[in-house]
Amino acid sequence: MPTSTAEVPLSKAPNPSLLPERRCSRQLTVPAIHLFQSHHNSSNSSGHYDCNPTSTAAVLLADILPTLFIKLFAPFFIHAVPYGFRVLLCIGSATASFLVVSLSTSVGMSILGVIFASVSSGLGELSFLALTVYFDRAVLSGWGSGTGGAGVGGALLYSALTQSGLTPQLTLLIMLLVPALMAASYYFLLVFPPSFPQWSRGEAEPSVFVGGSPQEYRPLVDDEQEDQETSETTESEKTGALSFTEKLIILKGLLWFIVPLAVVYFAEYFINQGLLELLFFPDIFLSHAEQYRWYQTLYQAGVFVSRSSLCCLKIRCIGVLSALQCVNAVLLTLAVYYQFLPSVWMVFIIVLYEGLLGGAAYVNTFYYISKETGDREREFSMAAASVGDSLGIALSGATAMPLHHHFCSL
């Protein structure tokens, strides 16, 4: 019987904060692309709004569509690729993204760099979420904090380096330290279960979480439906790898998590990529670019705080968070059109609140998936459910672009 993480001595237990995170390449590459585009596109300051004719949603789509493709299909076959090779691919893609964008001489080349970042992000997120099943459930809190902190750290570090006088190109070359740190944290700092299949296709036994109880488990696979589908399946097959049919059944049960998560991300990225650039207050000490950077930084700060909140607060009903985020999107859409918000400080508060809702929805979704799935289906469930945020982001990009163009034309 393979050894679970629960059997690893506490002195050698993995520190959740050491889990590699997957947001730095996106958080640093997309602002760099936006700055690059701003040098190639004229700003529409003669109309009703001071905005860039090319919405940041266009770059967002280039960033999210490869991730969405990976998350839609990879969970059905990625188990055949050992984790060690997956992480190498993530590191290589992240490195390529920084190099291509920093050396870019055209928008097309910059978009290629964003695509590399997207591959690293998509493959990394579903792989690391699936990887958490081999550790104690507390690692999910570390994962949430790491991804949330990467957003804040990436935004602040990029702004600090560029405002200190460094060019965006040189800043991105310096940020090649990020994939190097990812490699060091994964291959040298994490302590894996002894039988963990790092470089082989063999299957180790996922961890049975400490502190769990039978009452916490609510199977995503309906027992009667599973019995009908597998009536001729032998007992040994039932304890082996999931079949394609079983994965589809599990995916159907995961919709209760995926749909609310997608709605939350649709609303918040609709705000971030379609509306925030249009919420400009000209008579204050911050320039338009500085206001936009503060919007993004405060949003990331909210995400970081709420993704780190599992130790204090757990929210089972993700649908409530989805509804509240949609209220934010409607409010800010009306604010852009009617311009009734009195100051930038009101927008700062709303954007911080937006980040709190988004981060809480993300970390609680995966916490309850890990809690309510059986050992055999948990690894697939964690990877498959990660499509929710990417689906919402992709839909928001497609919706935000025409809205942004409409406002810019006024």
Side-chain angles (χ1 to χ4, degrees), residues 271-272 276 279 295 298-299 324-325 327-329 331-332 335 340-357:
I271 293 170
N272 293 352
L276 290 186
L279 290 166
Y295 291 154
L298 287 170
Y299 162 75
L324 292 173
Q325 198 72 288
V327 170
N328 282 343
L331 173 64
L332 290 179
F340 58 78
L341 292 179
S343 73
V344 71
W345 301 103
M346 289 290 295
V347 184
F348 285 165
I349 293 172
I350 294 172
V351 168
L352 179 64
Y353 171 59
E354 173 206 346
L356 290 171
L357 291 177

Side-chain angles (χ1 to χ4, degrees), residues 1-5 7-8 14 19-20 78-79 81-87 126-135 186-187 190-207 379:
M1 183 71 68
T3 305
S4 70
T5 308
E7 300 171 19
V8 178
L19 270 180
I78 198 66
H79 61 276
V81 182
Y83 280 97
F85 291 114
R86 295 192 221 175
V87 175
L126 71 87
S127 295
F128 291 133
L129 280 170
L131 184 65
T132 62
V133 308
Y134 293 96
F135 299 90
Y186 181 82
Y187 292 109
L190 277 179
V191 180
F192 295 96
S195 59
F196 179 73
Q198 181 74 275
W199 301 105
S200 66
R201 294 176 57 180
E203 295 183 359
E205 179 183 344
S207 170
E379 185 175 5

Side-chain angles (χ1 to χ4, degrees), residues 17 38 78 124 147 151 192 213 219 247 325 375 397 407:
S17 65
S38 69
I78 198 66
T147 55
F192 295 96
S213 66
K247 289 180 178 180
Q325 198 72 288
D375 293 343
F407 280 122

Side-chain angles (χ1 to χ4, degrees), residues 264-282:
V264 168
Y265 272 79
F266 170 83
E268 68 185 74
Y269 274 81
F270 179 83
I271 293 170
N272 293 352
Q273 308 302 328
L275 301 177
L276 290 186
E277 187 191 12
L278 305 172
L279 290 166
F280 170 49
F281 297 83

Side-chain angles (χ1 to χ4, degrees), residues 340-410:
F340 58 78
L341 292 179
S343 73
V344 71
W345 301 103
M346 289 290 295
V347 184
F348 285 165
I349 293 172
I350 294 172
V351 168
L352 179 64
Y353 171 59
E354 173 206 346
L356 290 171
L357 291 177
Y362 181 91
V363 74
N364 280 280
T365 291
F366 291 103
Y367 172 79
Y368 280 99
I369 288 175
S370 74
K371 183 177 179 180
E372 298 178 4
T373 54
D375 293 343
R376 183 167 172 259
E377 62 197 48
R378 187 175 291 124
E379 185 175 5
F380 169 78
S381 298
M382 295 291 282
S386 66
V387 73
D389 61 347
S390 299
L391 180 61
I393 294 171
L395 293 175
S396 73
T399 308
M401 274 198 297
L403 180 73
H404 184 277
H405 292 163
H406 170 72
F407 280 122
C408 280
S409 66
L410 295 179

Side-chain angles (χ1 to χ4, degrees), residues 61-71 114-116 118-119 122:
L61 284 177
D63 176 59
I64 200 61
L65 289 180
T67 293
L68 179 61
F69 181 84
I70 290 172
K71 289 183 178 180
V114 174
I115 292 173
F116 278 120
S118 182
V119 171

Side-chain angles (χ1 to χ4, degrees), residues 31 49 120 137 157 217 224 249 255 274 301 307 328 330 368 382:
Y49 298 94
S120 177
R137 189 178 290 138
L157 189 57
Y217 167 56
E224 293 183 2
I249 296 171
L255 290 177
R307 288 197 181 194
N328 282 343
V330 173
Y368 280 99
M382 295 291 282

